[in-house]
Amino acid sequence: TASAAGGKYITLSGITNTASVGTSYTVTVETQNSSGTTLDGPTTSFYFSICTNACHTSTYQIPWTSTISTSGKHTTKFTTASAIPADGKSKITFPSGFNISNALTTQLVGGSSSFNFTQSITGQTITIVNASTTAMSAGANYIVIDNITNHSTALSTYYAILETTNASDTNIEGPTSI
């Protein structure tokens, strides 16, 4: 029988991820009739990541203003499966075209606790180090960074990359597209 129009999902099992870490994987979906004629699609998914360890979940990059070429705050929200140690790092890489040279991290929050931090910028990557004496527990986290100038071209999707590491830059989670 025919399926009614509307949202659908299919769960597949037995799929083995690639061994290549990446942040811009996609899948393409197309529906066809029994004769192989396309009904809908093909439609490509949003980017997703294949990570060395766990990938961050519930990731969001939220610009406080979405006007092109405007400087303002960006909030990165993410959930970790592992704790970020007292000297651990959160690295956010912005796409080319965003100006982060004057970026200033204003908050590092894990759960309901604020943490002391230091920040550095190399190229398009902002590295925020947990400078507190305690680890950030696994779970919900967010980072607020001010003075990021948005890209000068309006697009509906830009992707930043998030990675958490220990002090020696050994991967904890990610890299994850956000």
Side-chain angles (χ1 to χ4, degrees), residues 44-154:
T44 302
S45 71
F46 286 112
Y47 291 112
F48 63 90
S49 300
I50 300 296
C51 304
T52 304
N53 296 317
C55 288
H56 305 95
T57 58
S58 303
T59 57
Y60 302 93
Q61 178 70 22
I62 306 163
W64 291 28
T65 177
S66 56
T67 305
I68 61 172
S69 303
T70 301
S71 181
K73 293 182 181 183
H74 282 236
T75 299
T76 302
K77 293 185 175 188
F78 57 101
T79 301
T80 60
S82 303
I84 301 172
D87 54 359
K89 302 174 185 178
S90 298
K91 298 178 180 184
I92 305 168
T93 303
F94 284 82
S96 176
F98 282 76
N99 182 344
I100 65 167
S101 61
N102 295 314
L104 177 63
T105 302
T106 59
Q107 288 182 291
L108 174 63
V109 177
S112 60
S113 301
S114 292
F115 289 82
N116 294 324
F117 57 87
T118 60
Q119 167 199 296
S120 63
I121 300 172
T122 304
Q124 288 299 109
T125 302
I126 301 171
T127 301
I128 301 99
V129 177
N130 176 4
S132 298
T133 57
T134 57
M136 296 173 64
S137 299
N141 302 283
Y142 70 88
I143 299 168
V144 179
I145 305 170
D146 201 359
N147 298 330
I148 295 174
T149 303
N150 291 337
H151 201 287
S152 61
T153 303

